[in-house]
Amino acid sequence: MLLIPLVEDSKNKNFSTEKGLSLFIEINGEKIIFDTGKTDLFIENANKLNIKMNEIDLFVISHGHADHIGGTSYLDSNILNSTLIYVEKQCLNNDFYFNFYGIKNKIGNNTPKIGGVKFNSLYKINNNLFLLKSEKRESTNKYQINEIPDNFEHEIHFIVIENNCLNIFTGCCHSGIINLLETTKKLFPDRKINSIIGGLHTRSYIFHPIKLIKLILNLKQQQVPILILGHCTGKVVRSIISIFLKNVIKIETGKKYKL
């Protein structure tokens, strides 16, 4: 499997960057884009890497926040009409907000008219590709969907099976990485997890040391061979995790990872 990040927060001397995430994945001849960042930057960087949008077989959008779904607005109408785009229906036609001490900041939704899927825990694309929702989700009043607290039922994760092992792609993991791993093991009890790739939404854990210790202990217990982390994981938190776990790799825009 080939992984190439098209958009990620960290500065990069060879590629433009923005706050957001977009990953190009190629497996068994299928070309996939997981999340599209906030703008058309994922297309610009893809062009630099000779990745053509009209050759993408399917898109997977993790959730309704603009830094993950916003780039779909810049896709050509022919691609929108002819390419499979997997997104949870709740991501469409709703407004998403971040509530900071009573001040609401809109963080989505500006998306084209595309279809969506609705499912409980697991959605099968084919024998090697699945969409998954965490059965348990961390609760917070900071995020809202329209006028109510967002329980992130619209958040989906992407499972890629290769060599009988699971590779888990997550955009922000608002539901919590431990919850996600528990659900994954429940739904795929006979398969080992090879990698976790994406953002863990743990940037604020530097102010919550107990949460950070629990996270490190849980990740260590899971014994996942590869952790490719970036975006909302937080640079400092990723660095701390890498002190205790030697399998942590930084997501870098434009870099090729062979898994």
Side-chain angles (χ1 to χ4, degrees), residues 30 38 190:
E30 283 193 283
K38 191 173 185 178
D190 300 323

Side-chain angles (χ1 to χ4, degrees), residues 16-51:
S16 299
T17 60
E18 67 181 9
K19 180 186 176 294
L21 188 68
S22 180
L23 306 173
F24 171 79
I25 306 157
E26 187 170 5
I27 179 169
N28 298 328
E30 283 193 283
K31 297 180 179 180
I32 303 159
I33 287 182
F34 177 77
D35 283 351
T36 59
K38 191 173 185 178
T39 68
D40 61 348
L41 182 60
F42 81 106
I43 300 173
E44 177 186 322
N45 286 339
N47 288 335
K48 287 182 180 178
L49 293 158
N50 201 32
I51 297 169

Side-chain angles (χ1 to χ4, degrees), residues 121-138:
S121 295
L122 194 65
Y123 182 96
K124 182 179 179 180
I125 298 174
N126 60 38
N127 288 336
N128 298 311
L129 305 177
F130 295 83
L131 308 178
L132 181 148
K133 288 184 183 180
S134 290
E135 294 181 351
K136 290 194 296 183
R137 291 181 283 273
E138 292 182 1

Side-chain angles (χ1 to χ4, degrees), residues 8-21:
E8 202 272 334
D9 304 34
S10 306
K11 290 183 179 180
N12 187 300
K13 64 180 181 180
N14 297 316
F15 294 89
S16 299
T17 60
E18 67 181 9
K19 180 186 176 294
L21 188 68

Side-chain angles (χ1 to χ4, degrees), residues 3-212:
L3 165 69
I4 308 177
L6 302 177
V7 168
E8 202 272 334
D9 304 34
S10 306
K11 290 183 179 180
N12 187 300
K13 64 180 181 180
N14 297 316
F15 294 89
S16 299
T17 60
E18 67 181 9
K19 180 186 176 294
L21 188 68
S22 180
L23 306 173
F24 171 79
I25 306 157
E26 187 170 5
I27 179 169
N28 298 328
E30 283 193 283
K31 297 180 179 180
I32 303 159
I33 287 182
F34 177 77
D35 283 351
T36 59
K38 191 173 185 178
T39 68
D40 61 348
L41 182 60
F42 81 106
I43 300 173
E44 177 186 322
N45 286 339
N47 288 335
K48 287 182 180 178
L49 293 158
N50 201 32
I51 297 169
K52 310 297 183 185
M53 290 298 114
N54 60 5
E55 295 178 357
I56 301 301
D57 295 294
L58 61 98
F59 291 82
V60 176
I61 306 299
S62 65
H63 61 295
H65 292 173
D67 55 341
H68 295 262
I69 195 173
T72 57
S73 299
Y74 299 88
L75 288 170
D76 183 271
S77 59
N78 291 330
I79 293 171
L80 290 172
N81 293 329
S82 62
T83 309
L84 292 169
I85 300 177
Y86 290 94
V87 57
E88 218 282 347
K89 280 187 177 180
Q90 204 177 43
C91 293
L92 311 172
N93 305 314
N94 284 307
D95 293 323
F96 295 87
Y97 297 92
F98 179 73
N99 193 331
F100 185 73
Y101 295 102
I103 301 172
K104 287 174 67 173
N105 178 33
K106 192 173 183 181
I107 55 175
N109 191 340
N110 180 24
T111 57
K113 291 183 178 179
I114 53 180
V117 294
K118 195 76 178 172
F119 64 99
N120 291 323
S121 295
L122 194 65
Y123 182 96
K124 182 179 179 180
I125 298 174
N126 60 38
N127 288 336
N128 298 311
L129 305 177
F130 295 83
L131 308 178
L132 181 148
K133 288 184 183 180
S134 290
E135 294 181 351
K136 290 194 296 183
R137 291 181 283 273
E138 292 182 1
S139 59
T140 174
N141 292 322
K142 289 183 179 179
Y143 291 94
Q144 290 181 292
I145 179 168
N146 298 324
E147 299 299 321
I148 62 173
D150 189 351
N151 67 358
F152 287 97
E153 188 183 345
H154 61 92
E155 183 178 48
I156 60 179
H157 313 278
F158 186 43
I159 305 292
V160 177
I161 298 177
E162 187 175 43
N163 298 326
N164 210 35
C165 292
L166 306 173
N167 298 279
I168 304 173
F169 290 84
T170 179
C172 272
C173 210
H174 288 280
S175 351
I177 184 60
I178 305 308
N179 293 335
L180 172 57
L181 291 173
E182 286 178 0
T183 301
T184 303
K185 289 193 168 186
K186 178 183 174 181
L187 296 174
F188 297 94
D190 300 323
R191 296 185 190 269
K192 291 183 178 180
I193 299 171
N194 177 60
S195 67
I196 300 169
I197 300 159
L200 301 186
H201 203 69
T202 50
R203 187 180 284 118
S204 66
Y205 279 25
I206 56 172
F207 305 110
H208 304 279
I210 293 176
K211 280 187 175 182
L212 181 53

